[in-house]
Structures are given as C-alpha cells and as structure tokens.
Amino acid sequence: MKLDLLPDDCFAHILSFTSPKDACRLSIVSSELQSSADSDSVWEKLLPPDYLDTISRLTSPWSWKTKKELFFRSCDPHFIDIGRKIISLDKSTGKKVHVLSSRELSISWATNPLYWSWKSYIHSRFSEVAELRTICWLQINGKFNTENLSPKTLYGAYLIVKFASRAYGLDTLPSEVFVKVGNFISQAKIFLRRRQRKIENSEKNVRILNRIEASRFNDESNRVCERKDGWIEIELGSFYNDAREDKKDIEMGLKEVTGEHLKGGLIVEGIEIKPKK
C-alpha cells in the first residue's frame, strides 16, 4: 500500500510516534507527505507535554505561528526562572536539556569573599560565575527533580568549568564525583586538570611517562573534555529517568576534601543535565 494513499490525519498520527529527525526527513520526500509531516498535530506530540508551563517561565517570552516553529525555537537555549537556569530541547530527539547556573548550586564557603568571588564573565551564558580564590575544602553540589526531565531517557550530569590563568592545586589529588537518584548512586574519582610535565630525557622515557599518564587518566579521559564553546565539562555521573510517577530529586556534585593543600583558579558556570548520546 502506498503511503500517500493514507488519509492525512492517519499519516500524521503515525508520524507523531517517530522523532523530530524522522519527521523532517519525511517532509522532503514529497509535497504530499510534507503537509502531514509539518502539521501541528505531529509537532504537538513531539513537544514535551508541559511545554506551555515552560513557556510561562521564560524570562523573555516569544510567539510562534506553527508548532514546528515552536519546536525549533525551543531547541535554542532560553533563560527561565529569573535567568538562573537555561532550558532547551535536543533537536534530534526532543528531549529536555537543563543548565543550572552556579547561583543554583551549593558551593562550600561561596559566600565568603576570602574563598570565592562572584563576577560577570564575558564567555558565560549567565550574568555571573563563581571563581575560586583559594581554599583547601572544595565541594560543589546541585539538586534537581526528575519531574522536569524527559521520561525514559538516559541522562548525564556535567559540571561546566574553566581554569583561570592563575589556577593551581587542581591537579594534585583526585576529586570525587557522584550522581544520586533515590537508591541509585553513580560514583567515580577524577583529576580536574591533567598535570603538565616536561621531560628532557630519552625517547624511551617519554614513552614510559606517556603510558603512566594514560593509565592514571584512563577513567577521567572520558569524563573530562573541552566543549566547542571553550568550556570544560566534567561528567559527574549518569542515570536513567524512567516514567514512574514518584518523581525524585537528583543529587550531584564534586568534592576534594582529603588534601590540606590550597587550590584556586577554578571558574564554575554551572551544571548541565542532558541526554547521553
């Protein structure tokens, strides 16, 4: 049976069970399919069920003509909750992405100007970031509710940071990272920065040193990476958000409290919670 023989509303109903990526692909197959693939009934289903509530929380509301236009505008980052959070949708899947600013996090001693400073930063999406002056007790925690995320989705939580030119003491001991949802907990140890070492020895010694370094950073090599926007994301952990009605708080964070050495120069933008590819 040819697809174009199906009634428009029937084909649109079928498309509503696919993904945004599939709907866009089918819209260019033929002019007959485009009408169904671009219809509001399809894109209404591809939007999160609570999209109207999200729109009401935007710091700068905007209008749209079609639900497809609304979807793709929602894929751009938008500030919500007086500008202390950012929400967007993943273009391929329509899953929610949230970013909590540093002001939404619990940072030990953050109110003491001897240890932390709050400042505007040209490269940040938020109006201010937290910069570590100097401290020996480093602890950053965040909390979020699974109700605000897409169901049946594997998520990762990432601490978004940069290092000031004066950064020091961040490569001495590993930090503990974790994500906890209900009885589930994901834990690991990572080095915030890879120690820069220089060696002026033989090529053999260089190869040995590289193997040692690769072994030392094997775990965090997949957890610490530079983003296209120049920030560094540190994976705190991952979790599966099921479709149960009993919504839970996600607790996540990073700490290095075992050493007595001073550290500084860490710039914290926030924590991003996004679907894992």
Side-chain angles (χ1 to χ4, degrees), residues 232-251:
I232 293 170
E233 62 179 31
I234 300 168
E235 184 178 343
L236 304 175
S238 57
F239 62 96
Y240 183 75
N241 188 38
D242 55 30
R244 296 179 183 177
E245 292 184 1
D246 54 327
K247 303 301 180 181
K248 303 181 180 67
D249 279 334
I250 311 156
E251 298 176 40

Side-chain angles (χ1 to χ4, degrees), residues 19-274:
S19 68
K21 192 174 183 179
D22 292 331
C24 288
R25 284 175 172 173
L26 285 169
S27 68
I28 60 175
V29 171
S30 68
S31 57
E32 290 81 5
L33 296 182
Q34 183 178 10
S35 175
S36 297
D38 290 347
S39 66
D40 279 355
S41 60
V42 170
W43 291 94
E44 173 88 23
K45 294 284 188 179
L46 296 177
L47 284 162
D50 61 346
Y51 71 89
L52 289 177
D53 176 65
T54 300
I55 291 172
S56 69
R57 295 162 60 192
L58 294 174
T59 57
S60 300
W62 34 263
S63 59
W64 63 92
K65 293 181 178 179
T66 66
K67 292 296 172 60
K68 184 178 181 179
E69 179 189 351
L70 171 60
F71 176 88
F72 282 103
R73 291 200 67 175
S74 299
C75 293
D76 295 327
H78 296 281
F79 290 105
I80 59 173
D81 299 344
I82 64 172
R84 293 174 61 159
K85 299 174 187 172
I86 291 174
I87 187 171
S88 60
L89 299 181
D90 181 85
K91 268 186 181 179
S92 298
T93 63
K95 305 291 187 180
K96 292 181 184 179
V97 178
H98 282 271
V99 186
L100 312 180
S101 70
S102 50
R103 279 293 187 188
E104 286 289 305
L105 308 181
S106 174
I107 303 175
S108 296
W109 307 104
T111 56
N112 191 323
L114 291 175
Y115 304 122
W116 289 87
S117 64
W118 293 89
K119 57 175 66 176
S120 60
Y121 190 64
I122 190 172
H123 300 295
S124 175
R125 293 166 288 184
F126 295 102
S127 60
E128 59 181 352
V129 297
E131 181 172 341
L132 177 61
R133 289 182 180 274
T134 184
I135 208 168
C136 61
W137 184 287
L138 177 61
Q139 189 163 12
I140 304 169
N141 292 324
K143 185 178 285 189
F144 200 69
N145 196 281
T146 58
E147 183 179 10
N148 298 306
L149 299 175
S150 299
K152 298 181 180 179
T153 304
L154 178 63
Y155 273 95
Y158 304 85
L159 182 66
I160 311 302
V161 302
K162 273 194 174 187
F163 302 108
S165 57
R166 63 174 187 87
Y168 60 92
L170 300 171
D171 57 0
T172 305
L173 292 174
S175 298
E176 299 176 24
V177 294
F178 77 95
V179 167
K180 183 180 179 183
V181 184
N183 295 323
F184 169 80
I185 185 167
S186 167
Q187 293 176 303
K189 289 188 176 183
I190 59 101
F191 282 86
L192 282 173
R193 296 190 83 183
R194 180 168 183 167
R195 179 172 294 179
Q196 301 297 319
R197 295 184 181 180
K198 293 183 179 180
I199 187 168
E200 297 178 0
N201 231 328
S202 66
E203 184 179 345
K204 179 179 179 181
N205 287 339
V206 172
R207 288 199 301 267
I208 292 173
L209 179 60
N210 287 340
R211 285 200 295 271
I212 293 173
E213 290 291 290
S215 175
R216 179 187 179 193
F217 292 97
N218 181 54
D219 179 56
E220 64 265 27
S221 63
N222 295 322
R223 286 181 173 266
V224 182
C225 67
E226 185 173 355
R227 296 153 50 113
K228 292 180 179 179
D229 59 9
W231 288 85
I232 293 170
E233 62 179 31
I234 300 168
E235 184 178 343
L236 304 175
S238 57
F239 62 96
Y240 183 75
N241 188 38
D242 55 30
R244 296 179 183 177
E245 292 184 1
D246 54 327
K247 303 301 180 181
K248 303 181 180 67
D249 279 334
I250 311 156
E251 298 176 40
M252 52 211 158
L254 174 147
K255 68 177 180 178
E256 198 287 277
V257 299
T258 57
E260 297 181 354
H261 67 287
L262 293 175
K263 37 197 167 280
L266 180 69
I267 301 171
V268 181
E269 185 184 45
I271 289 180
E272 184 166 0
I273 306 169
K274 60 184 178 180

